[in-house]
Amino acid sequence: MASEDPTPRPLSPLETSALEAVRGRRSVRAFTAEPVPRAVVEQILDAASRAPSGSNIQPWKVHAVAGAAREALSADLRAAHFDPADTQAGAEYTYYPTQWFEPYLGRRRKIGWDLYGLLGIAKGDRAAMAEQHARNYDFFGAPVGLFFTMDRRMEQGSWLDVGMFMENVMVAARGFGLDTCPQAAFITHHRIVRRHLDIPDTDILLSGMALGHADPDAPENRLETERAPVADFTRFHGF
């Protein structure tokens, strides 16, 4: 039996642009102040709504914030972040494992130290680390913040659906020359976000996201994260 030709076939322009959008997605941690028009945000969300969901229930909800509303929210979030007496902080769900193990612990440590290295933050400099974390609450300077919520009565399948919707948002943003950063940091202060954006208690805050134009001169935007090769995470059956 002849072996399969390993030479990849030429890609069409549509395939090329789709792959470029996916491969070009990255978490940007420094944005310019250049505004993003509401019409563009609406187009991104409209495209993202083509994400699959079980029985087409479309469980995602989005709160988009910009301008004075964004600034007021950021101010309250930063104040809470640096307030040792804040008793309202606390996430509604656990994002990370309670006990780390490999290979995930090593990957987490590497990206942390790679980022801090670019920013000149020394190991053990807790004040600088806290300040860097606080930049989450300013959306890393991005003019638009997005918050993703869902009716808390939904089950795990809907969490997958919202995750696919969020990925669509990030990829669609690339089509407009924009960048993003998904941010779980906001779930710690979900009560503040809830109050500012009038999110009902019946909904759970899943994540935030910064949206805007990447700052090309920011050192943190030189961060290049590694990805494991396909052979490390895939087993092929019947090929």
Side-chain angles (χ1 to χ4, degrees):
M1 181 177 179
S3 61
E4 185 175 331
D5 183 359
T7 305
R9 64 174 176 81
L11 298 177
S12 70
L14 177 60
E15 290 170 321
T16 299
S17 61
L19 288 173
E20 287 176 347
V22 173
R23 289 172 174 160
R25 188 222 64 84
R26 60 193 179 116
S27 293
V28 165
R29 293 176 176 85
F31 294 83
T32 70
E34 183 178 350
V36 177
R38 172 173 171 169
V40 171
V41 178
E42 289 180 349
Q43 289 180 75
I44 290 171
L45 295 175
D46 179 68
S49 71
R50 297 307 306 174
S53 61
S55 300
N56 196 35
I57 60 175
Q58 305 170 62
W60 44 78
K61 300 177 184 179
V62 182
H63 295 260
V65 61
R70 172 205 169 284
E71 293 174 6
L73 172 59
S74 291
D76 277 2
L77 287 167
R78 283 185 60 90
H81 173 70
F82 287 110
D83 182 4
D86 179 24
T87 60
Q88 295 294 304
E92 292 190 277
Y93 71 92
T94 303
Y95 189 97
Y96 291 112
T98 54
Q99 290 188 331
W100 285 97
F101 50 94
E102 296 298 347
Y104 313 108
L105 176 60
R107 292 172 180 171
R108 184 172 191 252
R109 284 175 170 168
K110 183 178 187 331
I111 190 175
W113 293 123
D114 285 352
L115 174 62
Y116 291 156
L118 289 170
L119 293 170
I121 299 176
K123 187 175 182 178
D125 190 345
R126 297 188 179 278
M129 293 178 186
E131 180 59 41
Q132 174 61 25
H133 186 77
R135 295 187 62 231
N136 276 281
Y137 304 123
D138 190 41
F139 303 94
F140 297 110
V144 175
L146 302 174
F147 292 93
F148 302 88
T149 69
M150 178 182 70
D151 190 306
R152 65 176 67 248
R153 293 173 293 183
M154 294 297 188
E155 294 292 349
Q156 290 175 325
S158 292
W159 289 66
L160 295 175
D161 296 341
V162 177
M164 289 185 282
F165 172 78
M166 289 178 59
E167 176 69 11
N168 270 10
V169 170
M170 293 183 277
V171 173
R174 295 298 304 131
F176 290 88
L178 299 171
D179 280 289
T180 54
C181 184
Q183 298 167 269
F186 290 104
I187 66 176
T188 302
H189 298 290
H190 68 91
R191 292 178 178 86
I192 295 175
V193 178
R194 192 178 297 282
R195 184 174 70 249
H196 275 259
L197 304 184
D198 196 25
I199 299 173
D201 289 337
T202 52
D203 289 356
I204 184 170
L205 174 62
L206 302 176
S207 181
M209 184 183 293
L211 171 68
H213 297 268
D215 182 348
D217 299 321
E220 55 266 52
N221 285 344
R222 297 200 301 269
L223 178 66
E224 294 186 8
T225 57
E226 297 178 354
R227 291 295 189 270
V230 172
D232 280 10
F233 58 81
T234 307
R235 292 182 64 188
F236 290 95
H237 304 266
F239 283 82

